[in-house]
Amino acid sequence: MTVDLPEGWNRVRRVVCPGSFDPVTNGHLDIIGRAARLCDEVVVAVLTNVSKQALFTTDERVEMLREVTAGYENVRVARFHGLIVDFCRANDISAIIKGLRAVSDFEYEQMMSQMNYRLAGVETLFMTTNPLYAYLRSSLVKEIARYGGDVGGLVPEIVLVRLRDRLGQLPEHEDPARGAL
Ligand code: PNS
């Protein structure tokens, strides 16, 4: 039996995984990979000008994402600015896929999802994060890497290398050894 859809409604074929990805983590990759198995096409959309504090430029973030998703034929990486619903409209995308790590993520994500639906009828589908990555976020990875902590296993190998390149030379005032007794 086929279900008739109201005019203008699309079945979910192409979805978007939006984010800052500064940098991409194994938690992001887990969601992207699972989305790629569920949907015909996944567009990973990288928010440009995320903030002046971004560690990696948009080009670098896109480049890393392209490299780590190269194994998925149905994943594309693009950049966007402005509203995600406008990106969806322009690219015939009917749903956003988001990972939910914990209840603390839910309140904000629920607000965004309801707003995006109100703005443009774009649905948001939530996936619970793999428990292995439930505590993982890009900002923590950067902080740990900045002070020489081990982020192996939390980000893809190529991101590890880029983090080392970018953060390897700590300015003197950030040398953690200076806090030693
Ligand atoms: O990786 P992040 O920073 O948590 O991703 C947040 C992102 C990019 C998904 C979100 O901030 C977003 O969609 N920004 C685009 C601007 C927009 O559409 N804002 C209104 C949301 S209701």
Side-chain angles (χ1 to χ4, degrees), residues 18-21 28 47 50 80 82-85 98 108-109 111-113 115-116 119:
S20 311
F21 303 104
H28 292 130
L47 181 65
V50 57
F80 81 103
L83 296 178
I84 187 63
V85 291
K98 286 287 194 77
Y108 185 58
E109 292 295 343
M111 231 162 46
M112 284 211 287
S113 104
M115 184 60 88
N116 285 331
L119 286 172

Side-chain angles (χ1 to χ4, degrees), residues 29-164:
L29 259 187
D30 176 65
I31 297 291
I32 295 167
R34 285 159 62 198
R37 282 189 284 278
L38 275 182
C39 311
D40 292 344
E41 194 180 346
V42 178
V43 180
V44 180
V46 181
L47 181 65
T48 60
N49 301 330
V50 57
S51 78
K52 288 190 179 121
Q53 301 299 312
L55 181 62
F56 295 103
T57 64
T58 309
D59 283 347
E60 289 171 325
R61 288 181 270 138
V62 165
E63 207 176 290
M64 285 187 272
L65 273 161
R66 290 211 168 117
E67 214 168 315
V68 298
T69 59
Y72 297 107
E73 275 179 11
N74 59 341
V75 173
R76 278 196 293 158
V77 183
R79 65 195 71 211
F80 81 103
H81 61 91
L83 296 178
I84 187 63
V85 291
D86 289 338
F87 179 82
C88 290
R89 273 203 199 104
N91 293 287
D92 202 18
I93 292 169
S94 46
I96 298 168
I97 290 203
K98 286 287 194 77
L100 278 184
R101 284 168 294 215
V103 177
S104 51
D105 280 346
F106 182 72
E107 215 172 320
Y108 185 58
E109 292 295 343
Q110 183 191 33
M111 231 162 46
M112 284 211 287
S113 104
Q114 290 169 336
M115 184 60 88
N116 285 331
Y117 186 79
R118 183 179 188 282
L119 286 172
V122 174
E123 297 281 4
T124 302
L125 310 176
F126 292 113
M127 271 184 183
T128 51
T129 299
N130 181 328
L132 280 177
Y133 307 122
Y135 51 87
L136 184 53
R137 58 175 63 229
S138 300
S139 56
L140 275 183
V141 165
K142 284 182 283 189
E143 187 172 319
I144 294 163
R146 186 180 297 279
Y147 295 110
D150 181 12
V151 291
L154 302 179
V155 293
E157 199 59 36
I158 62 143
V159 176
L160 264 188
V161 173
R162 296 266 193 143
L163 280 168
R164 277 194 209 113

